[in-house]
Amino acid sequence: MSIVSARLGERVVSPVAASLDSERTTLDELRPGHRCTVLSVRDDRNPTVARRLIDLGFAPGAAVEVVRRAPLSDPVIFRVAGYEVALRRVHARLVDVASTR
């Protein structure tokens, strides 16, 4: 096992407390222009995908903006950590967020 894979195995997906005035939802339900804060990444179905999402910047506490959707709603472009990343909706469903708009 390499050092990188050992460190990935140590990662813990911890939830972030949501404020009372925010709406809790998943990342795939937001429309373009919405901004949100990542609360948690669910790793119950596929821990490898959850770790990859965190590595891409969807870590608890991160600010995310929905930029645009493809014509058939899949994939969706998100702005996180200063860059844009495309996610399929099935993977975006694993990210719990608190909508700030």
Side-chain angles (χ1 to χ4, degrees):
M1 177 163 27
S2 72
I3 294 172
V4 173
S5 61
R7 294 211 185 244
L8 287 177
E10 295 170 1
R11 287 196 180 238
V12 176
V13 180
S14 60
V16 173
S19 61
L20 296 176
D21 60 345
S22 63
E23 178 183 329
R24 187 180 178 113
T25 185
T26 57
L27 200 56
D28 71 310
E29 296 174 356
L30 299 178
R31 299 287 172 230
H34 279 87
R35 294 178 186 201
C36 59
T37 302
V38 176
L39 298 175
S40 64
V41 178
R42 285 185 267 134
D43 63 348
D44 52 346
R45 291 186 182 169
N46 193 341
T48 306
V49 172
R51 274 183 287 191
R52 183 65 179 147
L53 288 171
I54 291 171
D55 290 340
L56 286 171
F58 295 95
V64 179
E65 179 183 0
V66 183
V67 178
R68 64 185 171 273
R69 291 183 180 274
L72 297 176
S73 295
D74 203 18
V76 182
I77 309 294
F78 299 98
R79 183 172 294 123
V80 60
Y83 65 95
E84 294 180 357
V85 62
L87 290 181
R88 296 188 67 190
R89 291 184 72 192
V90 67
H91 296 139
R93 281 188 195 106
L94 299 175
V95 182
D96 292 322
V97 296
S99 179
T100 56
R101 178 177 170 209

